[in-house]
Amino acid sequence: KHNPRKVLEVGTGSGYQTAVLSPLVDHVYSVERVAKLLERARERLRVLGLRNIRLKFDDGNMGWSRYEPFDGILVTAASEQIPPALLEQLAIGGRLVAPIGKPYAQELVLIERKFIGFERRTLGPVSFVPLLGGVL
């Protein structure tokens, strides 16, 4: 079984998924591009007393290279392709889950990094908000 110790979440949002991940892994690193969302999530997670979470205000397309490699990466918004920086930051044996495709034609994709290359599997159709670049 895959047992991720260090997970990157792209899109902190309200902090809900971050809080769910916290007891399941050793460390959660979460990146959010909207400052007001991040500050609200930071306060929520502080009140919950979750100590194994680091939050960053930045463009999630860039991942968080300071803490790579990640055993797991979760992307909470859709893009037409996986941002290359995220694939680079995935550990060998690590798994990345992301919605991929155009609006109304997305699939949830699981990518596992192998010793040489990546293995991709489609998990099913989904509908997510778009993965945007930059910060607000």
Side-chain angles (χ1 to χ4, degrees), residues 105-123:
Q106 300 166 0
E107 295 181 319
L108 194 61
V109 171
L110 169 66
I111 295 178
E112 185 172 354
R113 186 167 197 172
K114 300 294 187 178
F115 188 70
I116 297 176
F118 297 88
E119 185 177 290
R120 178 179 171 141
R121 187 171 57 169
T122 300
L123 303 176

Side-chain angles (χ1 to χ4, degrees), residues 19-134:
V20 170
L21 287 169
S22 176
L24 302 175
V25 301
D26 293 341
H27 303 282
V28 179
Y29 299 88
S30 189
V31 181
E32 176 57 55
R33 67 180 288 271
V34 179
K36 288 187 187 297
L37 279 177
L38 185 65
E39 288 313 308
R40 287 187 205 128
R42 186 182 308 281
E43 179 59 20
R44 261 184 216 107
L45 296 166
R46 188 194 63 73
V47 167
L48 290 171
L50 302 173
R51 303 276 179 241
N52 63 335
I53 296 169
R54 286 187 185 260
L55 301 174
K56 181 180 182 187
F57 173 58
D58 205 352
D59 180 343
N61 286 287
M62 305 312 294
W64 200 340
S65 61
R66 178 177 179 183
Y67 294 105
E68 70 175 284
F70 297 100
D71 302 304
I73 298 177
L74 295 168
V75 183
T76 64
S79 62
E80 291 190 27
Q81 65 181 26
I82 304 288
L86 299 182
L87 292 173
E88 291 169 12
Q89 293 174 30
L90 193 59
I92 293 173
R95 294 178 177 178
L96 180 149
V97 176
I100 301 298
K102 298 178 186 298
Y104 310 107
Q106 300 166 0
E107 295 181 319
L108 194 61
V109 171
L110 169 66
I111 295 178
E112 185 172 354
R113 186 167 197 172
K114 300 294 187 178
F115 188 70
I116 297 176
F118 297 88
E119 185 177 290
R120 178 179 171 141
R121 187 171 57 169
T122 300
L123 303 176
V126 293
S127 182
F128 280 74
V129 298
L131 180 64
L132 303 173

